[in-house]
Every structure is written in C-alpha cells, then in structure tokens.
Amino acid sequence: MTTMISKSSKCSRIMSRKALDYDQINENVKKAQYAVRGELYLRASELQKEGKKIIFTNVGNPHALGQKPLTFPRQVVALCQAPFLLDDPNVGLIFPADAIAKAKQYLSYTSGGLGAYSDSRGLPGIRKEVAEFIGRRDGYPSDPELIYLTDGASKGVMQILQTVIRGNGDGILVPVPQYPLYSAAISLFGGSLVPYYLEETANWGLDINNLRQSVAEARFKGITVRAMVIINPGNPTGQCLSIDNLKEILRFCYQENLVLLGDEVYQQNVYQDERPFISSRKVLLDMGPPISKELQLVSFHTVSKGFLGECGQRGGYFEMTNIPPESVDEIYKVASISLSPNVPGQIFMGCMVSPPQPGDISYEQFLRESKGILESLRKRAHMMTDGFNSCKNVVCNFTEGAMYSFPQIKLPPKAMEAAKQAGKVPDVYYCLKLLEATGISTVPGSGFGQKEGVFHLRTTILPAEEDMPAIMDSFKKFNDAFMDQYEDQRGYSRM
Amino acid sequence: MGSDRSIPSLTADSLNPKVLKCEYAVRGEIVSLAQKLQQQLQANPGSYPFKEILYCNIGNPHSLGQQPITFFREVLALCDHPTILDKSKTQGLFSSDSIERARQILDQIPGRSTGAYSHSKGIKGLRDTIAAGIEARDGFPADPNDIFLTDGASPAIQMMMQLLIRSENDGIFCPVPQYPLYSASIALYGGTLVPYYLDEATGWGLEIRELEKQLETARQKGINVRALVVINPGNPTGQVLAEENQRDIVEFCKKEGLVLLADEVYQENIHVPEKQFHSFKKVCCSMGYGDKAIPLVSLQSVSKGYHGECGKRGGYMEVTGFSPEVMEQVYKLATLNACSNISGQILATLVMSPPKVGDESYESYLAEKDGILQSMARRAKMLEDGLNNLEGVTCNKAEGAMYLFPQIRLPNKAIKEAESRKKEPDAYYATRLLYATGIVVVPGSGFGQFPGTWHFRCTILPQEEKIPAIVSRLTEFHQKFMDEFRD
C-alpha cells in the first residue's frame, strides 16, 4: 500500500492520523454532556434487557408511561395522512364531522398535503393560528412572520444559540439547575455557560442579586454575556415565575443588553393557583416603551408537554420579539438549510393552539380528556412531593409546574465515601443504587447542575396515578434503608 | 460595568459569523422573488405574461401534484390513530395488510404511541426492519445498532459536520457541482470546503486523478481533509456511478484516511436501464473489507425515490467503520434532540420494507410506484431533449435523481449586463426566465460550477402534461434572450 508523500511536512505529520480517530473529532462535541439520556438511562436499558422491570422516570415522556393522546388531534392528523378517506362516503362512521372539517382546512393550508416540504418557517396558515393563540393568551397581537415552526422546541433553541454564540468569549446566562439541553448546546457551539443559581430555600426563586453577581464575575473573566435563559415553569425545578420576578428579569436584560430566551414549554403545566403562567412577552409589552419596543426576546413552545404530551411528533415553535429584520433574515436562512419542519408536527401544533371550542361536536370529549390529564398531574405533583418529604434525609420543594420532582438528598459522609470508592459522583452513586434496588430510573442532579456539595435527583411525575403509591413506597423503603446503612453515628455534622 | 446600549445583542453584525457566511441557494433569492411575483399574480391576475409560478427549484414532488403511495399513508394514518384499528368499520376503509402492518409496528413501539420519544437512534424494532431491508437490497448484513433515524437526511449531515470540523483548517471534500446543504453546513460549522470537479464532458464523471490533485493542493495549504462527500445518484448532476468507480473511491478513502459520506437519497431514482444503484456499503463489503474498512456514513431519505414524502422529514444514516468511542459521541449528539419524529421513522421503515409479492396491496403499490418512476424517466428525457435544442445549451442526460443541469453559454453582452446589475450571469438569466415565464430554476452558481461556465438546475417534477408547455415557453424565452444579447 503506497502512501502519498506530501511536500508539506505539516501535512505529512497529520496524514498518519485518521479523521475519525477519537482524538481527531471536534472537542466541543466531546465536551457536551446530556445526562437525561446518559449513564443512568443506559444502565436502566441494560437492566431492562436482562429482564428487570424498569420504571423510566428520567424523561418527560407522558405517552411512554401510559398517558393517552387526545383524540381530536389524532383524528385530524390521520385524515390528513390519508386524504383518500375524505372521499369515502363512510368516513363519517369513524370520524366526527369537526375532525373531518379541520383536516380539510389544514390540507388546504398545504401545497400537496403532508408529503410536501412547507415554507422553511412552517405553513403560513398554522403560523397564523399560533399568532392568534398568542394574541388571545396575552392580549397583544402577534406577527405570524416572526413565528417559526421547528422540529421540536429543542431544534429552535439550538438554532438561536448557534446564531448568538460567536466564540468562547460569548457567555449565555443559564439557571442552575437547568435542563441540560442548554449546557450541551452552549458547549457544542463553543460558547461559555454563565450560571445563575436558583434559591432552593426560597422555592427555587430567582434572586436578581445572584444574576448581577454572575454577570459581573463573567465580565471580569473577559466574557461578553449575550443572552439569558429562563425556563418558566422551571425544569427540573418546576417553579413558576411571578410577574414581579419577570419584570425584574426583563429590566435586567434591558440594562445589560441581553437577549432573553424564554423557554415556556411547560406553560400549560401549572399545579398551583397563586402564580398562574404569564408569558414573558405579555409582561414585556405591559411594561410599555422604551423597553417593550427594544428588549430582544425569543419565546419557545412545544406540542410535547402540556396535556397533549406529543413528544414523538417533534412539533415546536419560537416567536421573535424586537429582533431586527436583518437578523430575522439570517435565522430564516439557516432554517432553510433544513428545508422545512415536519408537516404532521405542524398539524399537531395547529390542533394545540386552535382546540375544539364550546359547541363543537368534539368539545366535550376534548374538555374531559384535557382536564382529566391536568387534574391528575396536579394530584401526582402533590403525591410525589409529599412522598419524598416523608423520606429520611430528603427535602423536596413542591412541583409548582412542569413535569418533574427534584428532591434534595442529604447524603451522609459514609455514602459519599462509598461513592468515591466506586469512582462515581455521589448522586450518580445513589441513583444507580436506587435503580438496581427498585427499577426506578431517575436522572442524578449533577446532570442539571446544583450548588457544590448539595445533591438531588430528578424524577418525573408521569407514572400512572394508580402506580404512584407503590412507587413512592418502593422509593421510601430503599432510601430509608440506604440512609440507615450509611448514617454516621454523629449524623452528618461533618458536612 | 455595564455594556454598550447602542449595540443590542442580536444585530446583524453581531451574529455568529459562521451563520452570516453560509448560503443556501435552493431557497434563496430567486425563490423569494418568485413568491413575491406569486402574490402579485394572485392580487392582480394578468400582471405577468403567465398564469402561474412553476416551482422547478426544489425536489418537492407532492407540491407539484405527485400522489403519495396509498399503502404507506394507510399504515401511517392507522399508527397515528390506533383507536380505530379495532373498529369493524375500519376494515371497509383500509386494506387488510395495512391494518396488519400498523398493528405490527405499534407492537414494536413502547407505549404503542407515536407520541412518545423513542430511543435516540430510533425505535429498535423499526431499525431491525430497516437493517433487514438493507440486507435484502445489498446482499450483505446490516446491524440495527449502526442505524440512526433522523428528521430527513439533512440533520444527519449536520451531525457529521459537527463531529468532523474542529476549525477552518479542517476540510471536507465536496463535488462541484454539489447540493448546497454541504457547502452551507461546512460554513455553518466553520470548516473549509475542498472542491473536486466533476467532469461535464464525460457525463459528470468522478475522476480519482482529480481527487488526488485537489487533495494535494488542500494539504499544501495546510488543510486537513477529513471526509469525502459523494452524492450518488448525483445532485444536481444526476450521474449514477459505475461500480468500478465506486471501488476506486473506497480505495482512495482507505489510503487517505477519509470518512466517506455517501449521500444515497436518490437510490431509487434511476431513469436509464443501463445504470444500476450500488450502495457504497455493498461495494465495501464486496471488496472483501467487510463493513469496517473505512468509516462510512450512508444516507437514505423518505423525501425522494417514488414516495417523495419530503414534508414527513424521515430518513436515516447507517454508520459503519467507526470506533465504539466515536459511535458514543455520535449517539450523544443524537440524544440532544431526543429523537426524530416517530411518524417519519415508521415511513422510513416502510420505504425499506414495502409490500411484497402476495400481499393484498402489492399490485396497487407496484402500479403506483412504476407509474411514478416511469413518468419521471419520460419527463427527464423530454426536458433533456428540449434543453439540448436550445442555442448554446448542452444538457447531460439525467441518469438518476430529479434534476437537469444544463450548461448555458451566455453571450458577452449578457454577462456584462449581469455584472452591471451586480448579479452572477446565471442568476441574471434565471431572473429573466422567471419574469418572462413564471418558471423558477436555481442558478448554477448556487451549486458551484467550473469557473467561467454557467448552468441552472431545473427539476423534472412538474406534471407530465405540463412539460411540453414548459419546454415551449423556455424555448421562446431563450430565443428572445439570445436575440437580445447575441454578440
């Protein structure tokens, strides 16, 4: 086998390494971590293959745990998939008239049905419906031209971060704990994560002084802070931001020249009544000019959460506020490289933002199904919080919103020592033991970020209501036995 | 320590420069122009010398009237709404084998719902079926663990670029002309495009000599060339590689330590009986190397072929010859998006395992498939002949894919006119064509071309009965254009 001899010595040195040798791939890819499908999940999958019963509570994936899809959107999408049904005289025997009408309407939005690429920003008809939904929700009109549909909200988040991050001198403010898509994407695009800590003892509240301090520290290191992420309701923490908090945040971003990225995918998952969901955009517009006309904001939403729970459809959108037209053009350009978001996902988005109305044939069923799911989620939020709080050395804030519980596990020093021996981070060690003992697959808090020396795990509130008592029982048995096993006689005073 | 209020974060000049640098002509300037004209036509019919805009810029078959494959849609509808599977009335509306297939697929999906996130590589049972389909196609086994189902083939390419490009010193070999997803992704991830020119005189042939020459040039500039992109059948050029050529390419990649990125999305679009599709995986295996000879990424999509399901965003990459550590990194990238859309995963599976002889739907499936493919072959020929009849235009045969890529020899006067308008000559030609006929094509400069030559890409997708009118309108325009600018 002959090797080409290059005239350049620089190149001949390189030629002996192959492109896909592990040390030759993009370091940013290696740096990016995404614990939600990381070590615990892989171990759980292994155990499942060996025949162990696993309860996957690692990801907000309602249908995988038995939640049923809502009937109406499924009827509409099925009819759109198979439009020949609409020509069949018997179609009315298995599909209600309003689903048939909706399917016809949505097909008319397309040029060629579900199988044609749409506009790279999404079908104009659906974007118009999203704008109308936002208008009804917030009381301010929204421009469909500034709403882009995406294959899930995650793709939109990644696209915006890629647009903002120029290099490692650019920092993005991210809450700690956070949903690790943000940390992973920032790593991937070579930016710097600037953490701001949420206050666990204040119900995961956001203290503006923490923010100021984080920004000052970052700037001192020479980082240009460009954007701030808020997740409202929070993931993994579930807290719902108050209007005052939102105002503070908006003012802060305005003063510090940051674009605000509002991850609002859990806006329909709120389990308390003191702080209902209010969108960042509404608060911003309520504040009036100049801030309402200048503060740059991108808001994200999805069909994966709420009561639809249609994760597998990959349907999402982002809405841009006060973004200059030239920047919008660049964002459009990048969207066009991927041609278009998947059209069935867009149909689900339409069904989400324009649900059946009172008087519609399918309204009663829609109301019953959606209410049923939300009421059950609220119940399960309480069951889980109370269940964790009844466990030894476990303290858990109430899940005000979203789909997760994020209890703090106060690990005794002996347990931490055992973890060290096993070569594992303490919460990973605990979660692996939990998994092996009970089949409950969680995500260790270190996957989301937490204060030094404080440990958590994230679980979802999604297991079926009737399974909850047994699951919490199983957890309590394991936890209390674990704590007894590792408890120092002096308590954990050495912590 | 505040910051400068006068430069808000997201102004055009403060965006990621890689975003600013990348271009994607398929949905670029000429398309925006066409959309404006379309709006004007709707508001004011008769404002232009044509009745409708004909989008021949993009491989989007259903938007031009191609019908989906009935069996596939039946299965997808049933998987989307499985509640009706048990209803007796469903039997009257759906074929029995589509009902059976939907049940089978739902059994493989955790939770029996297309609404749940799946494994990040895609549902295991579906990957098993796809692997079996690959084996049936190639005669060599495929490992389901090597398959990553993606939202179309495009995200798979972007993942690979992310993995391979560390800095602008990393180069990716791309054919010229190429489908601009490659140039755009390379720019987006900060790498360098290393061109290799396809030879128009020999039907867009891929010469190893050319690869060697360009590799040497790149290395002398200090560029690490990391991967070779081969599009087979070609886009925009349509050529189908001969097996011998493919073997040479595999040897070249092996020798030079390159990853082979094999874009095979048009594998079922072959218009000429003398050519056949051979997957690069099959070629590697048939050379006695097994599937670990070279790092190879093979792409397939539901958007093309005879199914043309662009809007579904379904596809996969088969990743072979990667070390386990690197596979872990690829998997990690896949997890960031959770998974690809489930409906698209199901469709990709159906494409790789369509109805067989003896199935209830087989006859009608075959009729639909053959009808579409045979019509495409006829349309390709009609357009090719029409283009070759134009003054100063030569058009290579479209052996495969969905496009024609004629070379237009523009008179100097036309080139000067274009320059005075700060446009590429082929973009100027395409714009004039649009205004005169409503036909939207993509200028060759969007794909890259040998310097000093001009082309445009036109799809073969308009309905067959419209093709004669397209040819005559194009002919009329071209004559007038040449008359206007003839030297």
Side-chain angles (χ1 to χ4, degrees), chain A residues 305-317:
Chain A
K305 313 298 176 189
F307 50 78
L308 282 187
E310 294 279 9
C311 304
Q313 309 301 343
R314 315 316 283 112
Y317 75 75

Side-chain angles (χ1 to χ4, degrees), chain A residues 37-47 435, chain B residues 119 328 331:
Chain A
R37 291 200 170 204
E39 186 180 353
L40 253 298
Y41 172 72
L42 292 170
R43 181 75 187 122
S45 304
E46 265 169 40
L47 290 171
L435 170 66
Chain B
H119 188 283
E328 259 175 47
Y331 171 69

Side-chain angles (χ1 to χ4, degrees), chain A residues 249-449:
Chain A
I249 291 164
L250 287 161
R251 258 185 236 116
F252 178 77
C253 289
Y254 185 61
Q255 281 155 7
E256 302 299 335
N257 202 18
L258 311 174
V259 55
L260 181 61
L261 306 180
D263 179 339
E264 300 177 334
V265 303
Y266 294 101
Q267 59 187 266
Q268 286 185 299
N269 299 104
V270 176
Y271 312 123
Q272 42 71 35
D273 305 314
E274 293 77 37
R275 268 176 310 287
F277 171 75
I278 178 157
S279 78
S280 307
R281 187 161 185 272
K282 171 159 171 58
V283 176
L284 174 67
L285 294 176
D286 281 345
M287 288 165 88
I291 189 177
S292 62
K293 289 218 186 319
E294 292 178 22
L295 188 286
Q296 296 182 334
L297 167 67
V298 185
S299 314
F300 302 89
H301 197 12
T302 181
V303 305
S304 300
K305 313 298 176 189
F307 50 78
L308 282 187
E310 294 279 9
C311 304
Q313 309 301 343
R314 315 316 283 112
Y317 75 75
F318 61 84
E319 180 198 17
M320 297 175 278
T321 303
N322 297 329
I323 309 295
E326 310 80 45
S327 304
V328 174
D329 285 345
E330 294 296 330
I331 292 168
Y332 181 12
K333 182 180 73 178
V334 174
S336 70
I337 298 171
S338 303
L339 289 155
S340 96
N342 88 79
V343 181
Q346 300 185 41
I347 306 294
F348 273 98
M349 180 59 76
C351 290
M352 181 179 93
V353 300
S354 316
Q357 293 301 299
D360 290 353
I361 297 164
S362 301
Y363 179 68
E364 299 288 278
Q365 176 187 255
F366 162 78
L367 197 64
R368 192 181 1 108
E369 288 173 348
S370 55
K371 259 183 150 191
I373 289 168
L374 289 177
E375 279 166 5
S376 175
L377 282 169
R378 186 180 276 235
K379 257 199 224 125
R380 284 179 274 168
H382 281 285
M383 283 166 77
M384 222 167 204
T385 308
D386 294 345
F388 281 130
N389 278 319
S390 77
C391 295
K392 197 168 184 191
N393 295 343
V394 177
V395 167
C396 189
N397 282 336
F398 175 60
T399 298
E400 296 188 342
M403 287 180 175
Y404 311 97
S405 191
F406 198 65
Q408 186 187 144
I409 316 288
K410 302 188 185 198
L411 293 167
K414 270 194 188 167
M416 308 230 273
E417 190 49 47
K420 201 164 165 206
Q421 301 281 353
K424 301 256 178 249
V425 169
D427 50 17
V428 173
Y429 181 75
Y430 177 91
C431 291
L432 282 168
K433 290 276 175 237
L434 170 66
L435 170 66
E436 275 151 25
T438 65
I440 299 170
S441 172
T442 57
V443 188
S446 40
F448 303 88

Side-chain angles (χ1 to χ4, degrees), chain B residues 303-437:
Chain B
S303 301
K304 312 300 175 190
Y306 55 91
H307 21 90
E309 295 274 15
C310 303
K312 299 299 182 61
R313 313 317 282 118
Y316 69 78
M317 57 177 177
E318 186 189 7
V319 182
T320 49
F322 283 33
S323 69
E325 302 81 36
V326 177
M327 278 300 252
E328 259 175 47
Q329 297 299 316
V330 179
Y331 171 69
K332 185 174 67 180
L333 278 179
T335 63
L336 294 188
N337 196 45
C339 67
S340 65
N341 83 81
I342 309 301
S343 185
Q345 292 188 28
I346 294 171
L347 185 52
T349 310
L350 293 170
V351 163
M352 296 305 287
S353 62
K356 297 184 307 296
V357 176
D359 292 349
E360 178 188 322
S361 299
Y362 179 68
E363 297 291 335
S364 55
Y365 154 78
L366 194 65
E368 287 174 354
K369 171 181 169 183
D370 285 349
I372 288 166
L373 291 176
Q374 285 161 9
S375 172
M376 276 194 201
R378 287 193 298 269
R379 284 179 272 169
K381 188 80 176 71
M382 276 161 68
L383 279 166
E384 179 201 324
D385 289 345
L387 289 164
N388 273 315
N389 281 332
L390 302 178
E391 180 188 343
V393 177
T394 51
C395 186
N396 281 340
K397 183 186 284 302
E399 296 181 336
M402 291 178 173
Y403 314 97
L404 288 162
F405 199 65
Q407 188 183 150
I408 46 176
R409 286 161 193 81
L410 295 169
N412 280 321
K413 262 174 86 180
I415 294 175
K416 289 219 160 37
E417 179 65 30
E419 278 166 9
S420 73
R421 290 163 183 268
K422 295 204 170 29
K423 270 188 150 34
E424 292 292 331
D426 48 18
Y428 176 62
Y429 179 91
T431 310
R432 290 287 304 264
L433 173 65
L434 170 62
Y435 275 103
T437 65

Side-chain angles (χ1 to χ4, degrees), chain A residues 125 206 356:
Chain A
L206 200 162

Side-chain angles (χ1 to χ4, degrees), chain A residues 466-493:
Chain A
E466 58 267 22
D467 295 339
M468 271 301 194
I471 291 172
M472 295 318 290
D473 246 3
S474 176
F475 177 87
K476 186 173 165 66
K477 275 202 183 65
F478 159 81
N479 176 79
D480 291 1
F482 182 97
M483 294 303 172
D484 286 340
Q485 182 191 350
Y486 288 106
E487 194 101 80
D488 202 49
Q489 280 158 322
R490 286 156 284 176
Y492 44 87
S493 56

